């Protein structure tokens, strides 16, 4: 989702917990990798369609609700319980806020005024924000010259996408800021869960299922306070929200866990670099969004910078 990148250790992309042993899928991992890229790349298009009929908080609520249903169904099939312990659920509450409730809501609000393709590119800045945080906060990720250079290059790419030399003409500043803020939520959440949930027993499916249930409760409360119930349920926006949750959140995370277990987190996290490409292509082809030369060029620069920030000394 928005698509969080996988940590470099064999951990869940949203909880920091070590994946439980997963049966190797009969489908080649490359095909599953491609499918995961498409599912997460299309998430921004689904958000855009959903906001045509529903309030942003409702889109985010549907996303976590149907995502939670998908993961709870997996837990029932496995006969695996949800996490236990009051302290664990307290940490999951914070994780739900940082990794689901806040970024999902912010992306939904952002896409009221910016193209889905731009939202997808903003999502790719998440590794850059993570690198920036490592420079100002205590972190297990030590900055290197290459990674600092990647940070600078990545933000140069952001300025290219936004057309800084034109005074950001034609770019909605508020919507773009919300999308970038959503991307910032992810590394903050990753730092939190790695420090609080990495040693918690249980599979990442159970932890993330509990996390999405908590996010559903949070967004139910927020939606009740700040919005009114939908007056109608149009077909395509409704299907988009259901697909966004069940496929883009529930199924996609399950696929990600399988890839991490089979090919390792370093390969699995490469899916992050395909998401903005697919999001841009989907927005242009299916929603008729405009595409100027600086958008793909800037996106490429962002991805190169993000790749450099993930580099590690051998």
């Amino acid at each position: 989702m928005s698509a969080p990148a996988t940590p470099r250790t064999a951990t869940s992309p949203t909880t920091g917990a070590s994946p439980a042993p997963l049966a190797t899928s009969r489908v080649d991992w490359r095909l599953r990798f491609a499918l995961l890229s498409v599912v997460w790349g299309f998430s921004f298009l689904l958000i855009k369609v959903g906001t045509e009929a529903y309030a942003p908080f409702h889109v985010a609520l549907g996303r976590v609700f149907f995502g939670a249903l998908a993961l709870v169904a997996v837990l029932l099939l496995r006969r695996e319980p949800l996490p236990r312990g009051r302290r664990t659920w307290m940490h999951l509450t914070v994780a739900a806020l940082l990794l689901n409730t806040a970024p999902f809501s912010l992306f939904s609000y952002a896409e009221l005024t910016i193209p889905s393709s731009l939202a997808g590119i903003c999502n790719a800045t998440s590794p850059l924000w993570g690198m920036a945080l490592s420079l100002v906060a205590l972190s297990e990720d030590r900055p290197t010259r290459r990674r600092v250079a990647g940070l600078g290059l990545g933000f140069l790419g952001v300025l290219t996408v936004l057309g800084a030399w034109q005074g950001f003409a034609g770019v909605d500043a508020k919507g773009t800021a919300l999308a970038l803020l959503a991307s910032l939520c992810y590394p903050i959440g990753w730092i939190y869960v790695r420090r609080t949930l990495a040693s918690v027993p249980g599979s990442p499916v159970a932890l993330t299922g509990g996390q999405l249930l908590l996010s559903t409760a949070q967004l139910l409360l927020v939606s009740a306070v700040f919005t009114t119930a939908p007056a109608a349920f149009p077909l395509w926006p409704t299907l988009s929200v259901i697909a966004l949750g069940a496929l883009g959140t529930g199924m996609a995370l399950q696929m990600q866990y399988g890839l991490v277990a089979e090919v390792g987190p370093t390969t699995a996290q490469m899916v992050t670099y395909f998401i903005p490409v697919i999001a841009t292509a989907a927005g242009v082809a299916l929603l008729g969004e405009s595409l100027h030369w600086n958008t793909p060029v800037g996106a490429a620069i962002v991805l190169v910078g993000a790749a450099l920030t993930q580099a590690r000394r051998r």
Side-chain angles (χ1 to χ4, degrees):
M1 192 356 280
S2 69
T6 310
R8 288 162 207 86
T9 56
T11 59
S12 159
T14 50
T15 64
S18 298
L22 298 174
T24 302
S25 173
R26 295 180 180 179
V27 180
D28 186 83
W29 72 267
R30 297 171 186 83
L31 294 178
R32 287 180 283 128
F33 182 97
L35 179 59
L36 182 60
S37 302
V38 171
V39 169
W40 269 340
F42 268 79
S43 293
F44 298 95
L45 180 148
L46 296 175
I47 293 172
K48 191 73 171 179
V49 175
T51 55
E52 292 177 356
Y54 297 110
F57 280 135
H58 289 155
V59 174
L61 173 60
R63 180 176 186 176
V64 295
F65 173 71
F66 289 107
L69 284 184
L71 291 185
V72 168
V74 172
L75 294 176
L76 290 175
L77 290 174
R78 292 183 177 182
R79 297 182 180 179
E80 183 178 341
L82 287 169
R84 298 176 181 178
R86 181 179 177 182
R87 188 179 185 85
T88 297
W89 281 96
M90 289 177 61
H91 289 315
L92 284 175
T93 300
V94 179
L97 176 64
L98 293 174
L99 291 171
N100 305 116
T101 302
F104 291 178
S105 299
L106 289 169
F107 272 124
S108 297
Y109 269 102
E111 291 199 42
L112 291 175
T113 55
I114 67 172
S116 63
S117 55
L118 178 56
I121 293 171
C122 288
N123 180 76
T125 65
S126 186
L128 304 178
W129 290 120
M131 178 62 211
L133 287 174
S134 72
L135 295 177
V136 299
L138 293 176
S139 172
E140 63 271 25
D141 295 329
R142 296 288 182 179
T144 63
R145 291 182 180 179
R146 176 179 293 184
R147 299 182 69 206
V148 172
L151 177 64
L153 185 63
F155 283 110
L156 176 63
V158 173
L159 295 177
T160 303
V161 170
L162 301 181
W165 65 92
Q166 299 174 342
F168 305 103
V171 176
D172 183 80
K174 180 180 178 182
T176 303
L178 290 176
L180 291 172
L181 182 59
S183 302
L184 173 60
C185 290
Y186 290 127
I188 295 175
W190 297 334
I191 291 172
Y192 179 82
V193 298
R194 282 202 295 265
R195 294 183 177 183
T196 60
L197 291 168
S199 60
V200 172
S203 75
V205 177
L207 290 169
T208 307
Q211 181 178 305
L212 290 177
L213 287 172
L214 289 168
S215 181
T216 299
Q218 293 170 355
L219 282 164
L220 274 172
L221 177 61
V222 171
S223 298
V225 173
F226 294 103
T227 63
T228 58
F233 298 90
L235 178 60
W236 289 114
T238 301
L239 291 178
S240 295
V241 172
I242 293 174
L244 180 65
L247 301 180
T249 302
M251 187 197 79
L253 289 176
Q254 177 70 5
M255 290 177 62
Q256 179 79 335
Y257 302 146
L259 287 172
V260 170
E262 184 172 345
V263 300
T266 301
T267 300
Q269 77 174 356
M270 294 299 293
V271 70
T272 304
Y273 306 117
F274 291 88
I275 293 173
V277 177
I278 295 172
T280 299
V284 172
L286 299 179
L287 297 180
E289 296 176 351
S290 60
L291 181 66
H292 303 287
W293 69 267
N294 58 300
T295 300
V297 171
I301 297 173
V302 168
L303 294 179
V304 171
L308 288 175
T309 65
Q310 305 304 295
R312 287 290 186 279
R313 292 179 179 177
R314 294 187 181 278

